[in-house]
Amino acid sequence: MSAFLARILRRKQFEANPLDTSLRRCLSTFDITMIGVGQTMGAGIYVLTGTVIRNIAGPSVPLSFLLAGIAAFLSALCYAEFGSRFPKAGSAYSYAYIGCGEVWAFVIGWNVILENMLSAAVVARALSGYLNVLFGGWIKQTTMKYLGSIDYNLFADYIDVFAFLIALGMCILMMIGAKGSTTFNSFNTVINVAMLAIVAGIGFYYADLGNWTGTTPDGSSKFFPYGITGTLAGASACFFSFIGFDGLATAGEEAKNPIRSLPRATFYCMATVTLAYILVSGSLSLMVPYTEVDPDAAFVVAFKQKGSTVAVVAVTIGAISGMMGSMFGSLFALPRCVYAMAQDGLLFSFLGTVNGRTKVPVNAIIVFGLITAVMAALFNVETLVDFLSLGTIMAYSMVAVCVMLLRYRDLEEREQLRFKVPAALATKFSIPWAITITVAGFAVADICLISGLWEQMFGKILAIFAIALALLSILWIALHRQNPEGLAFKVPLVPLIPGLSLFLNTLMMVNLNGLAWVRFGIWMILGLAIYFAYGLRHSKERPSNKVNEQEIEIKEFERE
């Protein structure tokens, strides 16, 4: 058993020169920032805002976006540190491989793949829905006329061929190379930002404070018609909107100066999109009563009701450019994570092939681009979003854990402590154990808060005990000395900020519905089957594979 655990928990040894890559380093800080801004400022505003206002949070949606933004910002700090440490394409996958071990890295990488496939499929489906509304339902009616409908809850009510073609077209754009495709994305994102400014301004012009104040006919607050739990549930759904910096991080292997560019681009992206989400969602909830918001095309319908032609045009242009930017970011990150896993031997080797001319992982783009296009054609937005948020939050949580592990690694436990304790105590309550207790404590406390147990005495005692245990574990970690290594960027107040990130992330995870966990479990069973059947034996970190690689390198050198 100990030998098996050693195999699945082996950690990636980072190469001497982290800037070496088969990809082309051609992206500037602006290019990387635009990848993040484009990815985040499409799906959240144009896809989720109407659904969250109408069905989940009501007019309190700006608070949902604020809470999700805070949680995402704490995660972004962790990503920024790792981006400056290890500028590689795998993002959270690569960070987990270095910090936690192989099997955890595979779990995170498999979830990052799912996350980007789902987010691209969500946006392709939503973009098709927007265009369908603009054309008076012609796209849907024509499709159903020739292909019929689907009568099954898991799937959409019809096969969206147009969404399939949209996703496929974006994949073709990815194949021309990183610089060419990101130039298109930057231009597209600038248009989106300009349109958002117009939309927010006109929305506040039509604002009616009565939509936020007073009570509903049933006596509940107009601002919190679904209660505080609705606002928290909205934050869990809105968290999907902040996955741009995850896609941004996968550009590390193609950045000209990743040690400087990745932290800066992360902060520029987060500041821009969080402010935009709050302003635009607030303007919509002030302009239209939440019960009248159209969940499918919220902004178009709202401005048509107000008779604002300029705003409708701005929304249309912004929606199309925003969704294209969001889909671009997801499909940019997706093949690069697959490429990183294939390069490490955890996925099939042909997926790590890089085109000699364009320097992009072309096989990964083709295979997973087609899967994404099929998902866009078959599934509805709500099904995909619930499934997506869970994988995203788990990836962010693992990055926070890895930051703490790497800050305290490579020193003996007793040498790390700022004071003397018995050796048995230092060994028994190691940093990994303290982090495990922290996560478990926060999860129990969050379950008590979400489930309503907090209203009972037993629930209060259990939640307080769990939080106290988690805080004591964080305090125990803080009593250790950190590695004295110089980094271009460091997360401040470690372990407090990663710990707070874990608390907010677990709060959102336990708030997701049970069906999302079932779907997640099925996806993980498939992934782990691939890992144990293929990845475990072909891993580049397996000693025998390392020897073979060295022999191949020697032979190639002798041949030259």
Side-chain angles (χ1 to χ4, degrees):
M1 178 59 72
S2 60
F4 175 73
L5 289 176
R7 289 175 64 193
I8 66 173
L9 294 177
R10 56 196 171 203
R11 293 193 294 249
K12 182 178 176 64
Q13 302 301 310
F14 210 69
E15 50 265 49
N17 185 4
L19 297 181
D20 287 345
T21 176
S22 300
L23 306 180
R24 180 176 291 138
R25 290 199 175 276
C26 57
L27 302 182
S28 65
T29 301
F30 179 76
D31 293 327
I32 299 170
T33 303
M34 289 297 101
I35 291 173
V37 172
Q39 185 174 0
T40 54
M41 289 213 319
I45 292 179
Y46 296 111
V47 178
L48 283 181
T49 304
T51 299
V52 174
I53 291 177
R54 178 67 180 268
N55 301 323
I56 303 175
S60 67
V61 66
L63 294 182
S64 296
F65 274 115
L66 178 62
L67 181 59
I70 292 171
F73 177 72
L74 297 176
S75 296
L77 290 174
C78 301
Y79 270 83
E81 176 171 324
F82 267 106
S84 63
R85 275 180 184 262
F86 312 114
K88 287 298 181 180
S91 183
Y93 155 75
S94 296
Y95 308 157
Y97 207 165
I98 294 164
C100 297
E102 188 170 281
V103 69
W104 290 112
F106 185 90
V107 167
I108 294 305
W110 193 240
N111 275 293
V112 169
I113 290 172
L114 175 68
E115 164 195 322
N116 285 296
M117 283 196 303
L118 288 175
S119 60
V122 164
V123 180
R125 186 90 195 188
L127 179 55
S128 175
Y130 249 87
L131 294 175
N132 181 61
V133 170
L134 292 177
F135 286 100
W138 178 83
I139 295 174
K140 181 176 180 178
Q141 291 170 8
T142 304
T143 304
M144 293 183 72
K145 177 181 177 181
Y146 291 101
L147 298 180
S149 60
I150 303 175
D151 187 18
Y152 190 68
N153 290 336
L154 182 63
F155 297 102
D157 55 353
Y158 71 105
I159 299 173
D160 196 335
V161 176
F162 199 65
F164 177 89
L165 295 175
I166 290 171
L168 210 58
M170 190 62 73
C171 290
I172 293 172
L173 175 65
M174 295 294 161
M175 293 184 188
I176 70 173
K179 189 62 180 179
S181 58
T182 54
T183 299
F184 163 81
N185 177 67
S186 297
F187 176 74
N188 180 73
T189 302
V190 168
I191 293 176
N192 183 25
V193 172
M195 294 303 104
L196 281 176
I198 295 173
V199 168
I202 297 177
F204 281 118
Y205 175 78
Y206 289 111
D208 179 3
L209 288 175
N211 292 324
W212 276 18
T213 58
T215 59
T216 62
D218 62 1
S220 59
S221 167
K222 276 190 176 181
F223 193 71
F224 295 105
Y226 299 103
I228 297 297
T229 56
T231 304
L232 295 176
S236 296
C238 293
F239 196 78
F240 153 67
S241 308
F242 290 88
I243 68 170
F245 62 84
D246 186 10
L248 175 157
T250 61
E253 203 161 331
E254 291 160 288
K256 294 177 182 177
N257 187 352
I259 294 174
R260 183 186 66 179
S261 294
L262 288 179
R264 291 185 178 183
T266 300
F267 296 135
Y268 297 158
C269 171
M270 288 302 302
T272 302
V273 300
T274 302
L275 180 61
Y277 283 146
I278 292 172
L279 292 177
V280 175
S281 64
S283 68
L284 177 62
S285 61
L286 279 168
M287 182 171 51
V288 181
Y290 79 96
T291 54
E292 298 177 14
V293 171
D294 187 318
D296 296 320
F299 292 95
V300 170
V301 173
F303 283 119
K304 279 185 176 180
Q305 290 175 351
K306 300 296 182 181
S308 177
T309 305
V310 172
V312 170
V313 172
V315 168
T316 303
I317 297 173
I320 294 172
S321 62
M323 290 186 207
M324 288 178 65
S326 182
M327 187 163 45
F328 176 92
S330 297
L331 290 176
F332 182 90
L334 171 60
R336 283 153 180 83
C337 184
V338 174
Y339 156 81
M341 296 178 73
Q343 287 282 301
D344 290 335
L346 302 189
L347 287 180
F348 309 111
S349 59
F350 80 96
L351 294 171
T353 301
V354 174
N355 183 275
R357 186 175 62 84
T358 61
K359 299 295 183 183
V360 296
V362 63
N363 289 347
I365 294 173
I366 293 171
V367 173
F368 285 87
L370 282 172
I371 295 173
T372 301
V374 170
M375 294 172 70
L378 295 179
F379 295 100
N380 60 41
V381 170
E382 289 79 9
T383 299
L384 294 171
V385 166
D386 279 345
F387 199 1
L388 169 63
S389 296
L390 181 54
T392 305
I393 298 168
M394 287 195 70
Y396 291 175
S397 300
M398 184 60 73
V399 173
V401 168
C402 289
V403 165
M404 289 192 279
L405 285 174
L406 287 181
R407 284 292 189 92
Y408 299 98
R409 185 193 280 182
D410 298 331
L411 292 173
E412 292 296 328
E413 196 72 32
R414 295 187 70 188
E415 292 178 5
Q416 285 184 313
L417 284 164
R418 302 176 190 274
F419 57 91
K420 291 184 178 180
V421 299
L425 180 64
T427 303
K428 191 170 184 178
F429 296 102
S430 61
I431 296 292
W433 272 111
I435 294 174
T436 301
I437 294 171
T438 300
V439 174
F442 284 151
V444 171
D446 290 335
I447 289 171
C448 290
L449 291 173
I450 295 298
S451 65
L453 280 175
W454 178 256
E455 298 175 2
Q456 304 173 19
M457 181 56 66
F458 170 75
K460 285 184 173 67
I461 295 173
L462 182 60
I464 292 171
F465 175 76
I467 290 176
L469 194 62
L471 293 177
L472 286 173
S473 298
I474 290 176
L475 178 60
W476 173 256
I477 297 171
L479 293 175
H480 290 68
R481 294 187 180 91
Q482 296 184 20
N483 292 324
E485 52 186 332
L487 298 173
F489 174 80
K490 281 187 174 183
V491 177
L493 301 176
V494 172
L496 181 61
I497 285 182
L500 182 57
S501 175
L502 286 173
F503 173 74
L504 293 174
N505 289 346
T506 53
L507 178 65
M508 291 182 213
M509 276 194 284
V510 300
N511 198 51
L512 293 172
N513 64 52
L515 190 56
W517 285 94
V518 172
R519 294 168 187 153
F520 171 77
I522 295 171
W523 176 253
M524 285 314 308
I525 289 171
L526 174 62
L528 290 174
I530 294 173
Y531 171 71
F532 286 112
Y534 180 88
L536 190 61
R537 292 185 294 110
H538 292 83
S539 169
K540 297 293 179 64
E541 296 303 313
R542 186 182 182 186
S544 59
N545 291 338
K546 281 190 172 183
V547 172
N548 292 337
E549 278 192 356
Q550 291 172 356
E551 291 176 351
I552 292 171
E553 289 176 359
I554 291 171
K555 289 179 180 179
E556 289 179 351
F557 177 77
E558 291 174 347
R559 207 179 296 122
E560 291 175 357

